[in-house]
Amino acid sequence: MLVAPSILSADFGHLARDVEAICKGGCDLVHVDVMDGHFVPNLTIGPVVVEAVAKAATKPLDIHLMVENNSFFVDLFAPLNPAFISFHIEEEKHPHRLVQHIRSLGIRPALVLNPHTPLESIEYLLEDIDMVLLMSVNPGFGGQKFISSVIERATRLKALIEKRNPNCLIEVDGGVSDNSVQQLADAGVDVVVAGSFVYKHPKGVAAAISALK
Ligand code: DX5
Ligand code: ZN
């Protein structure tokens, strides 16, 4: 299982320290939640702060956009060379075009689905993307309760991926802990995002990351 800690649960007064800790602690990706106060009722970080995160990180960035104007934000963050940029299918009129644009920038495109969004809405985009992010909470905040129907959704998505693009990864984000990770692995999930489980673990971030792995 690849582990992508969400820095949303880090101490923003010591952000570089907390990014270094997860990288040294064995994470695979650094998950960066960008919220614009419109698509979701919360506001997080822009390019100045993400640039500081990129400098502190020794692992690739996984940028999760929760914004209304996706292409604007893609172009804003592309110079930071993230491994992945993911955007919500619910918010994009021309997802196929934006996927191609992200790819042309040398970044791996990923699509995000809210807990209720039909898997079929991305079936014909699967061959063009490198990852699907299934939300297991409503986007906007860390520390929410895991919505367990994501396990059935991951199983169904895995079957679609086998048919359309076996190289495409499945990532799950929201409320993930050591209670849910085994079921997610069994369902075919490749990457878990975890914010509060990693940063609030009593034994520290490295122990939390290895528990998920
Ligand atoms: C929610 C974010 C998540 C969140 C995960 O909108 O996309 O990445 O920070 O945090 P936890 O693991 O605490 O749910
Ligand atoms: Zn996220």
Side-chain angles (χ1 to χ4, degrees):
M1 181 63 81
L2 300 175
V3 177
S6 164
I7 59 160
L8 194 58
S9 297
D11 176 353
F12 275 65
H14 300 277
L15 191 52
R17 179 200 69 188
D18 283 4
V19 170
E20 284 162 12
I22 54 171
C23 293
K24 286 197 186 117
C27 77
D28 299 285
L29 294 164
V30 175
H31 187 80
V32 178
D33 289 304
V34 175
M35 307 184 189
D36 68 349
H38 295 280
F39 178 61
V40 288
N42 196 4
L43 189 63
T44 57
I45 51 179
V48 177
V49 178
V50 181
E51 193 179 347
V53 172
K55 269 196 195 135
T58 52
K59 299 291 171 65
L61 301 191
D62 173 31
I63 297 185
H64 175 191
L65 298 178
M66 286 159 274
V67 301
E68 278 191 351
N69 189 349
N70 283 305
S71 57
F72 170 78
F73 284 91
V74 165
D75 289 337
L76 208 55
F77 290 110
L80 300 175
N81 283 320
F84 292 94
I85 293 185
S86 59
F87 64 87
H88 277 256
I89 190 77
E90 300 86 7
E91 190 51 44
E92 185 52 50
K93 286 198 189 98
H94 301 290
H96 189 266
R97 177 182 292 151
L98 187 55
V99 159
Q100 288 172 310
H101 180 58
I102 293 171
R103 178 89 64 201
S104 76
L105 296 167
I107 299 164
R108 303 177 73 185
L111 288 169
V112 195
L113 276 68
N114 277 336
H116 71 282
T117 302
L119 301 175
E120 290 70 22
S121 62
I122 59 160
E123 180 166 3
Y124 296 101
L125 291 158
L126 286 175
E127 65 190 55
D128 299 299
I129 61 174
D130 288 350
M131 188 163 73
V132 178
L133 170 46
L134 295 177
M135 292 306 300
S136 42
V137 296
N138 291 298
F141 303 93
Q144 302 182 80
K145 189 174 175 290
F146 181 74
I147 299 173
S148 58
S149 58
V150 75
I151 293 164
E152 183 186 331
R153 283 164 64 73
T155 305
R156 290 182 50 223
L157 175 61
K158 185 72 180 171
L160 287 178
I161 281 178
E162 290 298 337
K163 189 169 145 197
R164 304 273 175 201
N165 176 9
N167 294 324
C168 182
L169 301 173
I170 302 179
E171 182 177 46
V172 167
D173 181 5
V176 173
S177 71
D178 53 357
N179 285 329
S180 44
V181 73
Q182 184 62 56
Q183 281 176 292
L184 292 169
D186 293 344
V189 173
D190 305 284
V191 189
V192 283
V193 177
S196 40
F197 179 75
V198 168
Y199 277 108
K200 306 215 184 312
H201 197 283
K203 293 187 180 151
V205 298
I209 292 166
S210 71
L212 294 172
K213 285 183 166 286

